[in-house]
């Protein structure tokens, strides 16, 4: 049976002033909405299988809530949970939606509010229901764009990066008018820093605008952040302003539009394969430092940051050192939580972790929990039997990053703040590759 597609967008912006989520220490209460944060949904059916692809302009979700969203969305769409992929774009300018152990002692970071979480849930399910009820005949195609120069490795200007932006485009099989698009690109949406008090999806807002303007209508676009634990615009921005968010966002959108212009009629599929699989895996935890070890590490990182400030080090290097202090503070909080038993209690919700795989036509979409370093996304691509894009922050966070063994040795913000060990990254990669054999 031919493909049908339904789409919807719902606003999930805070309804009143509240704390914005993404940076520690700063009492960051929202003073307005720069651009609405969205729940964007695409539903695809081929007569046998139904898939739901959704993105939320949020930093991250705790696994129990993410699983509840997935289960409820599957019920509304009438499909298995394995066929519902929901990711967070990872904007650092949205409401508080999860609990981080590393920030538990930070009075500037409150716990999620029930009212906020209920609003997000109701709006997402409203979007899924709307998408299911407006299905129409469609066709799809995949392509990719080179996003070089928009973001890169935030730890080193010579570090590993993945400039590929994956693009899924869906159009009416009758009128050939665009119906929806999905973009997958690995970069932290952190152009806006803690001094901004406006709700925003950061640079992805402008990327979506650029693509919508090119396609001629305000079509829904699900934006997904690929593995980007060590990727950001840190070395590519001139300032932390909305003007810079627009410059980088539109640059990414322009690259995507250039790839779309090269499509031909032979690239489109009217009867694509649609399939999904969901697997739970046990990840490996990092050993937790003692309180004394954590305090010593924090002192070392603070000394290094103060030295770089005195030496007027380049802005990117100073920010990296400042974030390393944040990570070391998180290490102290982890040590305290481990000693009190709170860490074990919280991590019951994080193990096993959910790993997801969708097949959409001739492309795999791998859904990974948490924030993995980009190396793991690249490894999945290298070992995949066909074209693959990886998406992060699917089915919840992992209380920090999944770093590489090399990064673990070097230390720094991501490594010192990581609850799960680098071996967990290999477990995620191996799980995805094995899943591909079942639905190839």
């Amino acid at each position: 049976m031919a493909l049908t597609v339904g789409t919807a967008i719902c606003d999930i912006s805070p309804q009143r002033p509240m704390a914005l989520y993404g940076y520690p220490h700063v009492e960051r209460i929202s003073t307005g909405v720069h651009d609405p944060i969205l729940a964007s949904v695409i539903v695809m059916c081929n007569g046998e299988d139904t898939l739901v692809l959704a993105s939320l302009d949020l930093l991250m979700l705790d696994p129990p809530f993410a699983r509840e969203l997935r289960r409820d969305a599957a019920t509304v769409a009438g499909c298995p949970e394995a066929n519902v992929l929901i990711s967070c774009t990872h904007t650092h300018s949205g409401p508080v939606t999860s609990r981080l152990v590393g920030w538990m002692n930070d009075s500037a970071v409150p716990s999620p509010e029930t009212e906020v979480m209920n609003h997000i849930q109701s709006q997402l399910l409203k979007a899924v229901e709307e998408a299911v009820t407006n299905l129409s005949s469609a066709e799809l195609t995949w392509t990719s764009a080179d996003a070089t120069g928009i973001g890169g490795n935030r730890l080193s200007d010579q570090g590993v990066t993945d400039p590929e932006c994956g693009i899924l485009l869906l159009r009416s099989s009758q009128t050939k008018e665009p119906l929806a698009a999905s973009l997958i690109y690995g970069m932290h949406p952190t152009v806006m820093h803690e001094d901004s008090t406006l709700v925003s999806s950061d640079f992805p807002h402008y990327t979506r605008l650029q693509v919508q303007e090119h396609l001629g209508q305000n079509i829904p676009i699900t934006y997904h952040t690929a593995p980007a634990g060590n990727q950001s615009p840190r070395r590519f921005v001139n300032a932390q302003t909305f003007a810079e968010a627009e410059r980088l966002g539109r640059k990414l959108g322009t690259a995507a539009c250039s790839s779309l212009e090269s499509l031909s009629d032979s690239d489109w599929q009217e009867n694509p394969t649609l399939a999904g699989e969901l697997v739970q895996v046990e990840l490996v935890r990092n050993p937790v430092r003692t309180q004394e070890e954590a305090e010593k590490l924090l002192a070392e990182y603070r000394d290094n940051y103060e030295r770089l400030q005195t030496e007027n080090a380049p802005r990117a290097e100073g920010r990296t050192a400042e974030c390393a202090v944040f990570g070391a503070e998180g290490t102290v909080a982890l040590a305290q939580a481990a000693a009190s038993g709170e860490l074990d209690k919280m991590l019951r919700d994080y193990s096993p972790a959910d790993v997801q795989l969708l097949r959409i036509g001739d492309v795999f979409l791998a859904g990974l929990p948490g924030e993995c370093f980009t190396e793991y996304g690249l490894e999945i691509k290298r070992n995949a039997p066909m074209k693959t894009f990886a998406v992060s922050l699917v089915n919840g966070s992992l209380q920090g990053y999944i770093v590489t063994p090399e990064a673990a040795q070097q230390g720094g913000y991501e490594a010192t703040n990581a609850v799960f060990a680098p071996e967990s990254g290999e477990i995620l990669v191996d799980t995805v590759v094995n899943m591909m054999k079942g639905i190839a």
Side-chain angles (χ1 to χ4, degrees), residues 327-348:
E329 291 170 341
T331 304
V332 173
L334 286 172
Q336 294 171 342
S340 69
E342 182 66 19
L343 182 60
D344 285 340
K345 180 180 176 182
M346 284 192 68
L347 290 183
R348 291 172 193 156

Side-chain angles (χ1 to χ4, degrees), residues 44-157:
M44 292 167 274
C45 305
N46 64 1
E48 296 182 358
D49 297 284
T50 297
L51 296 187
V52 178
L53 198 55
S55 64
L56 301 171
D57 288 330
L58 302 170
L59 185 73
M60 61 184 71
L61 299 172
D62 291 329
F65 184 73
R67 291 167 183 151
E68 184 177 346
L69 286 185
R70 187 185 69 212
R71 181 179 65 249
D72 291 348
T75 298
V76 173
C79 67
E81 284 188 49
N83 291 13
V84 178
L85 188 149
I86 304 170
S87 77
C88 293
T89 62
H90 205 48
T91 177
H92 287 49
S93 296
V96 179
T97 53
S98 69
R99 294 180 66 219
L100 279 174
V101 177
W103 291 355
M104 286 180 64
N105 299 330
D106 192 339
S107 61
V109 185
S111 296
E113 297 184 34
T114 300
E115 176 189 348
V116 173
M117 305 309 290
N118 287 344
H119 177 65
I120 292 167
Q121 184 173 28
S122 64
Q123 289 297 89
L124 173 64
L125 297 181
K126 177 182 175 183
V128 174
E129 183 176 15
E130 181 180 334
V132 170
T133 58
N134 67 22
L135 295 170
S136 63
S137 179
E139 53 192 17
L140 64 79
T141 188
W142 284 93
T143 186
S144 62
D146 184 351
T148 298
I150 297 164
N153 195 296
R154 66 184 181 185
L155 302 179
S156 168
D157 56 9

Side-chain angles (χ1 to χ4, degrees), residues 7 56 67 78 161 164 195 213 241 286 329 339 359 366 396 398 439:
T7 65
L56 301 171
R67 291 167 183 151
T161 191
E164 184 179 32
D195 58 337
E213 290 168 5
T241 62
N286 269 324
E329 291 170 341
R359 178 173 175 177
L398 288 176
I439 59 175

